[in-house]
Amino acid sequence: MDPVSGLPAALVPVPASLWAGALSELLNHGETGCRQSARRAVDLLTRLADSPAVDRDVRDLCERACERLAHPEQERRHVPGL
């Protein structure tokens, strides 16, 4: 139960500022390669993934993004022939 809204945790929406912050840090890292932005993006994406209001598909995407940001040196898999 959310103490502010009185709603069950699963019904409390994720704040837009959390989504915006995660996307901003993700884009900043992609454009500049800044490792601090990657760490901040991982933190925010982890908070999103931990939210009960986020469905399984979004949670999986957040976790994949965190893994990619945490281990950038791993070889990227590409579709052959493209």
Side-chain angles (χ1 to χ4, degrees):
M1 185 74 66
D2 180 62
V4 176
S5 67
L7 294 171
L11 298 179
V12 176
V14 177
S17 59
L18 186 56
W19 288 105
L23 289 172
S24 177
E25 293 297 345
L26 188 58
L27 287 170
N28 190 42
H29 169 68
E31 293 168 349
T32 67
C34 175
R35 293 303 304 151
Q36 182 65 25
S37 288
R39 285 188 289 275
R40 286 190 299 255
V42 167
D43 177 58
L44 294 170
L45 290 166
T46 300
R47 288 174 53 192
L48 284 168
D50 289 344
S51 171
V54 172
D55 69 19
R56 185 75 223 157
D57 291 332
V58 172
R59 187 171 292 117
D60 289 344
L61 288 172
C62 289
E63 290 170 359
R64 283 178 50 204
C66 287
E67 184 66 26
R68 177 80 52 101
L69 288 164
H71 302 98
E73 67 283 348
Q74 289 181 346
E75 182 179 332
R76 305 284 189 248
R77 294 186 187 140
H78 297 283
V79 176
L82 294 179

